[in-house]
Each structure stands twice: as C-alpha cells, then as structure tokens.
Amino acid sequence: MHQMTLAEIARGLADKKFSSEELTKVLLARITQLDPQLNSFISLTEELALEQAKAADARRANGEIGALLGAPIAHKDLFCTQGIRTSCGSKMLDNFKAPYDATVVAKLAAAGAVTLGKTNMDEFAMGSANESSWYGAVKNPWNLEHVPGGSSGGSAAAVAARLLPAATATDTGGSIRQPAAFTNLTGLKPTYGRVSRWGMIAYASSLDQGGPLARTAEDCAILLQGMAGFDQNDSTSIDEPVPDYSASLGDSLQGLRIGVPKEYFSAGLDPRIAELIQNSIKELQKLGAVIKEISLPNMQHAIPAYYVIAPAEASSNLSRFDGVRFGHRCEQPKDLIDLYKRSRGEGFGAEVQRRIMVGAYALSAGYYDAYYLKAQKIRRLVKNDFMAAFNEVDIILGPTTPNPAWKLGAKNSDPVAAYLEDVYTITANLAGLPGLSMPAGFVDGLPVGVQLLAPYFQEGRLLNVAHQYQLNTDWHTRTPTGF
Ligand code: GLN
C-alpha cells in the first residue's frame, strides 16, 4: 500500500479498494517503524490524521470526489498548524503551537488531505543538507551516511522512503528542487506569488515559495492544485486564475524549444552528472523537443547576491523572536537586554546566528549601498538574462545540483562550500520564476536531478514536460533499498 502514488491512491479510494482510514493506519505504522533510521519527522499527528481520514471517508461515502480527498501528506514544519507544534527546526520554536493554520494547510485540509505530521527541516530553512535542524540531521534513504539535501530534507526523505506519497515544502534558494534531486523525487517551486506565504514562517520573504514534493510530476500537479491560488492575507500573492495542472500533462512536446545555458556546464559540475543531463536532453529530443544553446551571463553573480539578500531579509524577519512574545525565553533574565541576548543566543543555532549577523551587517548604514543595494541590482540583471532567454526558448534545462548528496558532516566546517552547491537553483528564486527538479539517473548509487525552468506562471508547462519524460523513463520509479 505504501508504494502508491497520490494518483493511484485517488483511484483506489474512488474505487473503494481501501479507505483513507486504512491507508492512514498503514502509513503511520510504517513511519513509526522506519523513521528512527531517517529522522524525517519532528512531530507525528496521529489523532488529527485519523480524524481527517474518517472525515474524508465520510465525504466520499456522501458522493464527494477529489484527488486529495483522503490523501495522506505531511507539512514541512514551518507551515503553521493550529494547536500543533510548529518548530521551524529550531529550539527557538520548540514550544510554539501555532494559533492558526497557514493558508496552504487550510486549503489542503479543506480539499480533504490527511496530515500525518510535520517534517524535519534545516533551522528556519537555512541550509542545503538538513544538518542545521535542532532536532538532528535527516538521513538520505538512498545512503544513510549521506545528507538528503535541505532545507526540506525531512519532507524529501520521508517521501523517498515511501513513508507517505507527497509532502509540502518550501524553496527560498533551492530547498524543494535540491532535496528532490538528492532523493530521486520530483519537486516544484512555483512562481513567486502563486502559493500563499501566509502562515509560512518567513526566512527571506521576497524569495520564499511553498510547493509540492512527490515522486512524480503527476502527483506534483495534484498537490500544487490544492496549494495554489490568490490569498488576500498575503500581499505578494498574485490574483491569477489557477489552471488545471493535471489537464495539460498529456500535451505533446513536439516543437518544444529547450534552452541549455552554456554557463551550466562549467568546471564545477561533476562530469558524471553532466553526462546524465545530456542523456535527459536526448530523451526529450526523441519526444520532439528542439535544443538550443543559450547564455545566462550574470549567473556567476547570483550566489554572492543571494547570500546578501537572503540573510538581510532573514535578519529582519527573525528579529521578532525576542523571547517576549513567543518562542524560547531564557531563565531569570537580569534585564530586558539580557533577556533578548540570552533568549536569542540560546534559541538560535550557529547557522541562523551567522546569517543574522551577515544580514544585519549588509543592511547597516555604512554598508547598505555596497552590499544590499548592489545585490538587488544583480538580482535585476539575473532576471533580465532569463527574460531574454525566454524570448527564444520555452523551457531552460540543466542540472539541479553540481554534485550528488554529500556525506553527513562533510561541509559542516565550511559554510561557503555548502552555499556554492546552490549555484543552479537560486537564480530562479532571485527572478521569481518557477522551477522543477526530476530524477535523471544515479551516480555512485545516489540520485541525480535535472532542473527545468519556465516563464512566470508556466508551472503547467514544467509539469507537462516532466510527465512526458517520466512516461518514457523509469528513474523516478526506483526505490531505495530497505524502504
Ligand atoms: N541553501 C539555501 C540557503 O541556505 C536555500 C535554502 C532554502 O531554499 N530554504 O539559504
């Protein structure tokens, strides 16, 4: 039962082959049995899950239908869930029970999805390895000595290990696509503003975007359908109609113009990954796509710009955690300053503190122009590169990551080495564009992802290309041994 995709579950429930309650019990037992090896969950919500599953079964018995009605999922632990711990992977929020549901959580619950729990993540979504979580590192089910990627590593490891079919995640600089690549999943970062950020604990507000992590493009379409849409509570949410993402999956790729940026195949890319990317290009050519070399000349400036903008926004967003209103409070503060200092010093981990310091520095009076303003200008150049490229092509294709998943601990002493791994993903966040990663093969038994980028609001095109690719390849069907 645990091998089923969301699409298969929806068919099984519609055909009354099993109930949502039965399936939920099977998956909860599987999580209890296998998750100690992975550490992919921070909280299990068994009671809520069973309640939601029974309610979904009752709705189906009353004739209601829906792809998510009775479908088990989990939420990355930065989506607020009313009355349930929402930790953001931090000691700071270990005792925080959200007073309301995030819009994404409420929408999926209304569609009948069943919440099995909250997944582990890098602290405040800062990281690419899921090692900065206060709840401990998450392991990659493909090799337990390797990282699953981050920051949505818990959602990725859980789905890859078949503990559940799909989960929500967020992507500020790659945190949906990179863990998808590292664990053989399909993950989609939507256009900025497509999915509401209301109730999603902010890391870098101008970059953060929620999206689906699942095994197939077909399942990403189902989950995204339940997440996307205008929300008046989020002032950056965009009031555009949500298309039927499943409807366009079957479109032909004949004549599809795929751009391959020459900058992607530089020295930093593992040649074995480069070869798998070339294979995926050939596969898409067989399906009728036309390949064109393009250039993204400002790509080299994206990492430095991102690692100024994201920490700058984080330093501002995280100032609300002051030990007064919510979250961790130190014991017996001497005075107000001591309360702030010790609450924040004890509540935040090293990576979060590093970013707050970098961000506060970049925003300070004497340095604002030199760092923050300059980074914003680079951001515009990166966007302009994409706009020029999309005049010529329909999709941009390349690797999701320069290397496969590294060993746990391998980059702990060198944060910049980890930042450099984001080279292919962060440009989409800087420009606000949608991006998808899908399985493209293996290197040393570790999964490799191919990334597709599309113009604004063309999530349907990304899902269509990925689905057609998955109809003709079987990488996405591979299961990690032991799971
Ligand atoms: N690795 C990037 C960072 O640490 C991206 C993280 C994310 O997308 N949340 O900021």
Side-chain angles (χ1 to χ4, degrees):
M1 238 177 170
H2 61 265
Q3 293 288 1
M4 287 186 294
T5 61
L6 278 182
E8 288 162 351
I9 288 169
R11 281 194 291 274
L13 288 171
D15 295 347
K16 301 197 170 50
K17 294 222 167 87
F18 48 85
S19 67
S20 174
E21 189 183 351
E22 278 165 346
L23 176 63
T24 299
K25 284 182 176 159
V26 167
L27 294 181
L28 286 171
R30 194 170 155 80
I31 295 169
T32 312
Q33 184 203 342
L34 294 174
D35 198 47
Q37 293 178 57
L38 299 170
N39 197 28
S40 65
F41 278 86
I42 291 175
S43 307
L44 266 190
T45 51
E46 283 140 312
E47 249 175 66
L48 171 70
L50 290 170
E51 220 174 84
Q52 287 178 323
K54 282 181 200 160
D57 287 335
R59 281 166 67 179
R60 279 201 185 265
N62 277 333
E64 229 183 287
I65 50 168
L68 286 164
L69 189 52
I73 59 157
H75 292 295
K76 183 175 182 178
D77 205 18
L78 55 52
F79 286 99
C80 284
T81 39
Q82 187 172 9
I84 295 165
R85 173 168 61 178
T86 301
S87 75
C88 224
S90 182
K91 177 179 178 188
M92 183 56 93
L93 290 178
D94 180 54
N95 64 4
F96 176 64
K97 288 192 173 147
Y100 62 91
D101 279 336
T103 297
V104 162
V105 171
K107 278 173 84 89
L108 288 172
V114 173
T115 305
L116 301 184
K118 306 290 296 287
T119 56
N120 204 344
M121 56 180 283
D122 274 307
E123 187 176 7
F124 284 97
M126 298 173 190
S128 317
N130 216 122
E131 291 182 288
S132 75
S133 169
W134 189 64
Y135 299 89
V138 176
K139 317 278 166 49
N140 190 325
W142 289 92
N143 184 331
L144 298 174
E145 287 177 8
H146 287 249
V147 303
S151 63
S152 313
S155 289
V159 176
R162 276 56 175 167
L163 304 186
L164 76 176
T168 60
T170 63
D171 191 310
T172 304
S175 285
I176 292 177
R177 291 159 288 156
Q178 186 252 20
F182 280 11
T183 60
N184 207 42
L185 297 181
T186 308
L188 173 68
K189 177 203 105 69
T191 307
Y192 183 76
R194 178 71 296 183
V195 169
S196 168
R197 292 184 299 109
W198 199 69
M200 210 177 95
I201 297 174
Y203 160 17
S205 313
S206 77
L207 301 159
D208 296 344
Q209 187 59 202
L213 258 176
R215 302 210 305 267
T216 62
E218 190 181 23
D219 279 9
C220 282
I222 293 172
L223 192 54
L224 180 63
Q225 202 74 49
M227 298 173 78
F230 175 64
D231 178 8
Q232 59 183 14
N233 289 328
D234 172 1
S235 59
T236 59
S237 154
I238 297 176
D239 197 356
E240 274 281 317
V242 180
D244 180 344
Y245 294 116
S246 301
S248 56
L249 291 175
D251 292 355
S252 156
L253 304 191
Q254 200 62 46
L256 180 87
R257 298 168 303 166
I258 298 184
V260 182
K262 58 172 190 251
E263 291 83 2
Y264 279 8
F265 294 88
S266 66
L269 177 63
D270 183 326
R272 299 167 301 174
I273 294 188
E275 198 185 322
L276 292 172
I277 300 307
Q278 293 301 343
N279 293 346
S280 70
I281 290 175
K282 283 184 207 131
E283 204 57 58
L284 290 165
Q285 275 176 313
K286 276 194 236 158
L287 299 175
V290 185
I291 306 299
K292 196 172 164 107
E293 187 184 82
I294 58 163
S295 174
L296 298 172
N298 291 291
M299 182 181 151
Q300 51 172 326
H301 305 304
I303 288 184
Y306 173 90
Y307 278 101
V308 168
I309 294 170
E313 293 186 16
S315 74
S316 166
N317 275 325
L318 271 60
S319 62
R320 63 172 64 99
F321 302 106
D322 55 7
V324 177
R325 286 163 295 180
F326 37 62
H328 176 73
R329 177 179 293 178
C330 68
E331 298 277 339
Q332 301 184 321
K334 283 201 295 284
D335 53 31
L336 188 62
I337 296 297
D338 184 48
L339 168 81
Y340 289 158
K341 278 189 177 165
R342 281 202 289 127
S343 299
R344 288 168 68 81
E346 292 165 9
F348 291 138
E351 184 60 26
V352 173
Q353 294 192 22
R354 180 180 299 122
R355 302 219 187 176
I356 290 172
M357 284 190 280
V358 168
Y361 180 82
L363 289 175
S364 60
Y367 295 103
Y368 180 91
D369 288 356
Y371 295 112
Y372 186 73
L373 197 61
K374 185 81 158 228
Q376 292 288 20
K377 289 179 179 170
I378 293 173
R379 184 172 192 174
R380 174 53 61 108
L381 294 177
V382 167
K383 179 188 164 181
N384 290 350
D385 282 358
F386 279 120
M387 295 304 99
F390 283 128
N391 279 332
E392 297 177 52
V393 297
D394 305 310
I395 287 266
I396 294 174
L397 179 147
T400 308
T401 62
N403 295 295
W406 54 89
K407 276 205 159 157
L408 285 153
K411 292 190 197 286
N412 280 357
S413 57
D414 186 358
V416 175
Y419 300 168
L420 293 174
E421 296 291 322
D422 297 336
V423 59
Y424 297 118
T425 49
I426 53 175
T427 50
N429 302 78
L430 289 172
L433 292 166
L436 175 149
S437 179
M438 61 183 186
F442 292 81
V443 161
D444 290 340
L446 291 164
V448 166
V450 55
Q451 176 177 244
L452 308 173
L453 303 174
Y456 298 114
F457 295 104
Q458 297 305 319
E459 286 80 7
R461 189 183 298 168
L462 293 175
L463 292 163
N464 168 221
V465 176
H467 181 65
Q468 291 302 314
Y469 176 81
Q470 291 178 341
L471 288 176
N472 291 280
T473 54
D474 67 355
W475 301 119
H476 63 287
T477 65
R478 311 282 173 98
T479 310
T481 329
F483 299 95

